[in-house]
Structure formats: C-alpha cells, structure tokens
Amino acid sequence: MSDFKSVKVSHGSNGWGGPLVITPTDEKPYVLSVTLGGIHPVAQRIAELTGSEAHDQFKDPIDTDQACVVVIDCAGVARCGTYPKMGIKTLNIKPGSPSGPLASYITEDLFCSDVNPDCVVMADGSEVVAAAAPEPAQASDETTKENVHDKIREERAKNADAAQKGNGFMDLVTRIGTGVGRFISIIYQASRDTVQDVIRNILPFMGFVSVLIGIINYTGFGNILANILTPLAGSLPGMLAIGMFCSIPFLSPLICPGAIIASVLSVLVGDQIAAGTIPANFALPGFFAVNCQVGSDFAPVGMTLMEAKPETIEIGYPAFLFGKLITSPVQIIFAYAMSFGL
C-alpha cells in the first residue's frame, strides 16, 4: 500500500469554495491537469506534497475514476461543473463562483476556484482524521436506518390494504390531483432554474457586452479594428479567412475559453452591418466565421462526461480539431448561400 499524504487547498483572494482536503489512495493515485500548456504548477505541487502523480489529461487521457482531484482552467461555463457532477474534487485556477448549466453540482465540498500553488499546504492530523468516518458509527447508523425502513414498509403495507378497500371514485380524484400537482411542481422548478440561469449567465453577459461596446466606442479602438476587419468581413474570401484562422488546431483551444474572441468579433461585425458598411447578407456567414473555434476546449471534457475510454479521447480530440478545420469553410459557404435575398 502506498504511503500518501494529505494536503489542504483553499481558494484565492477572488475565489470561491473549499477548503478541500485531498488524500490520494491506491485506487485514485493521480492528480489530473485539464489545462492548456501541460501540467499546471498547482497539480505538480499537489503531486509533490502528497506523493501522488500529476497527469496531463489533454496529452495522455486516462480514466477519471483514477483521479483524486482535477485541476482545470475553465472560464465558468461547463468544465467547472463536469467533474463535480462525477463526484471528483475540482480546483479551478481561474476565479469564479458557481455558474453555467451545471452550477447546481458546484458545491463548496467539491469545488475551489482562483487556486495557485501558494493555496496548497499540508493538512494537519486532525483534519485528515476528521475526513474519515469511523466504521462503528456507520454500522450503528445503518442499523438505525434499517429499523426506520422496516417501519416505513409496514406503514405502506397498511395503507395499501386500506386503499384497496377505498372508494374507486376517490382513488380517481386522488390520482388526478397527484398528477396535476406533479405537473405544476415540474413547471415551477423549471421556471426557477430559468430565472437563476438568466441572472447568473445572461444578464452578466449583457453587461459585459454593454461595457465592451462603450469602451470600444469611447477609445476609438473599434474604428481601428473595423478598418482591419471590414475588408475581410465584407467578402466571402474574407469570411473564409476569419473562419480558417479561428479553427487552426493549435490555436482554437487557446482562443475558445470564455468566448471572448467570438464576442469581440461579433460586436464589431454587427456594428458594421448596422452602420451599413457591411451588407446584411453577411450576417449569417459572419456568425459562423467568428464561431469556428466553438467547443475546441470542451471536446475532451465532453467525451469524458459521456464516459468515453481514454483511447477514444486520445484519438478523438485531434480528429475533432482537424474536423473543424475542414468543416469550417464548408459551413461558411453554406451559410452564405442561404443568405441570398436578405
């Protein structure tokens, strides 16, 4: 049995979550680094202090079931919640709090953000012991739960016997009432989730775009970039050039996180279309051109979420990147053909 040590990881000054006590085991001996640029210093420091092994998940993917912790560099969309959903402790080197479609899985006992190497320290003995629950107490709890479950089963059996003797009309009314109540509950919960998603994601993005437009218009930076982009965005070859640039295999994973490049180009091209500098029929191909890199950073995480084998991820990720390089001009040309008459 390997002699692993425990470390305590806290969030940075602009972070959220934790602190997390991380203890590798023989079944989970790896610290996975799902970051661009190789193994991140945070993952390397955890591996050195605990006696485990840091592993680059992009370069040589392995089964995530062998990971005691995952280090990511997500801007706060999907990767932040992917690994917590799988029950794996996650350290994000970027600041942020729960957001995105998987925000409900991002909890303080599984997630910590704005982490740097200084946030990783050795855990003291009391914290390590506190992380392990004594077996006698568990056995006692299980015994208590079994007794409670026996009583619940007895009560349900009595209620079932009474229900069989009840009035058939009342049973029908009860079933209708239960069905309507369940339907209303589902709709209400969906409404709550929608409002939370709007508050956490859509409204901040609208604020970001508003500030971005104000800065660009005030500084005149928009006019400079517009003069550079107008010759490209105003013609089909120019759109193809933008799309090919955004889908270069070694570049697309770098410009994709946070969708910053796509947001800036969309605002600038849209502003030029509104001003009449670029014809309106270039709006659709322009949309595809500035988004050719979408998914380049999330592809390995998505395959992991779908429980793909490490060999599949190792081969599928480069294939995905080169596939986008091939399909990007095709989708731009198709969008251009569909824009005639606008």
Side-chain angles (χ1 to χ4, degrees), residues 22 30-35 43 46 57 64 67-72 79 83 88-92 110 112:
I22 300 170
Y30 295 106
V31 179
L32 296 189
S33 180
V34 191
T35 58
I46 294 175
Q57 188 70 351
T64 53
C68 62
V69 66
V70 176
V71 180
I72 63 174
R79 255 185 297 173
Y83 295 104
I88 303 176
K89 294 181 179 179
T90 305
L91 306 178
N92 191 5
L110 289 175
C112 194

Side-chain angles (χ1 to χ4, degrees), residues 141-210:
D141 292 342
E142 292 175 358
T143 302
T144 303
K145 291 178 181 179
E146 289 178 358
N147 295 338
V148 172
H149 291 165
D150 291 338
K151 293 180 179 180
I152 292 176
R153 282 193 291 268
E154 292 177 0
E155 291 296 330
R156 286 180 177 176
K158 293 179 180 179
N159 293 336
D161 294 339
Q164 292 178 354
K165 300 177 182 179
N167 192 310
F169 176 75
M170 293 304 299
D171 291 342
L172 178 61
V173 173
T174 301
R175 290 179 181 179
I176 294 175
T178 303
V180 172
R182 182 178 180 182
F183 175 77
I184 294 176
S185 177
I186 293 174
I187 298 299
Y188 178 68
Q189 184 61 41
S191 301
R192 292 180 58 186
D193 294 341
T194 301
V195 171
Q196 291 178 0
D197 194 53
V198 169
I199 294 175
R200 292 179 177 178
N201 301 306
I202 298 179
L203 292 181
F205 181 76
M206 293 174 63
F208 160 74
V209 172
S210 300

Side-chain angles (χ1 to χ4, degrees), residues 103-125:
S104 59
Y105 298 98
I106 303 176
T107 57
E108 293 183 348
D109 59 332
L110 289 175
F111 184 83
C112 194
S113 64
D114 195 24
V115 178
N116 58 70
D118 295 335
C119 298
V120 183
V121 297
M122 297 298 299
D124 58 35

Side-chain angles (χ1 to χ4, degrees), residues 244-254 296 317-318 321-323 325:
M244 294 293 290
F245 174 79
C246 293
S247 58
I248 296 175
F250 65 86
L251 184 62
S252 58
L254 300 178
S296 298
Y317 185 47
L321 295 179
F322 280 100
L325 183 63

Side-chain angles (χ1 to χ4, degrees), residues 41-60:
V42 172
Q44 190 62 46
R45 177 169 173 79
I46 294 175
E48 292 173 355
L49 294 180
T50 60
S52 58
E53 179 180 349
H55 193 85
D56 187 352
Q57 188 70 351
F58 277 122
K59 182 178 180 181
D60 186 19

